[in-house]
Amino acid sequence: SVKELCGILNGGNVPSNVEAICFPTALHIGLAQMLLKSDFSVGSQNVTMKSGYGAMTGEISATMVKEFGLNWTLTGHSERR
């Protein structure tokens, strides 16, 4: 479904005054980065309040988000509250 969604997004026309960002699941971030045209940014669906590394099983820190080359995250969206 990620490949299909990226294909649909790539087929659209993003106006130059719009920043379009796709927020795939953490497991699909790399695939989305690979498949999406440069018209799109990719972000993470969540980020933990803890910084750096350590025992944060199942969480993604801001440091890890940056290492993925991402500049966006959906912090505090309804599914995680």
Side-chain angles (χ1 to χ4, degrees), residues 4 26 45 60 66 73 78 81:
E4 182 180 346
Q45 289 187 3
I60 298 175
K66 288 302 287 181
T73 184
S78 61
R81 279 185 276 176

Side-chain angles (χ1 to χ4, degrees), residues 14-65:
V14 179
S16 61
N17 64 337
V18 171
E19 187 159 7
I21 307 160
C22 180
F23 294 92
T25 64
L27 293 173
H28 295 103
I29 288 172
L31 180 59
Q33 287 176 307
M34 219 171 32
L35 295 175
L36 285 171
K37 295 189 310 186
S38 61
D39 295 358
F40 296 92
S41 295
V42 176
S44 72
Q45 289 187 3
N46 192 44
V47 67
T48 185
M49 291 178 12
K50 297 179 182 179
S51 64
Y53 300 96
M56 301 179 294
T57 303
E59 295 293 340
I60 298 175
S61 71
T63 302
M64 295 189 306
V65 168

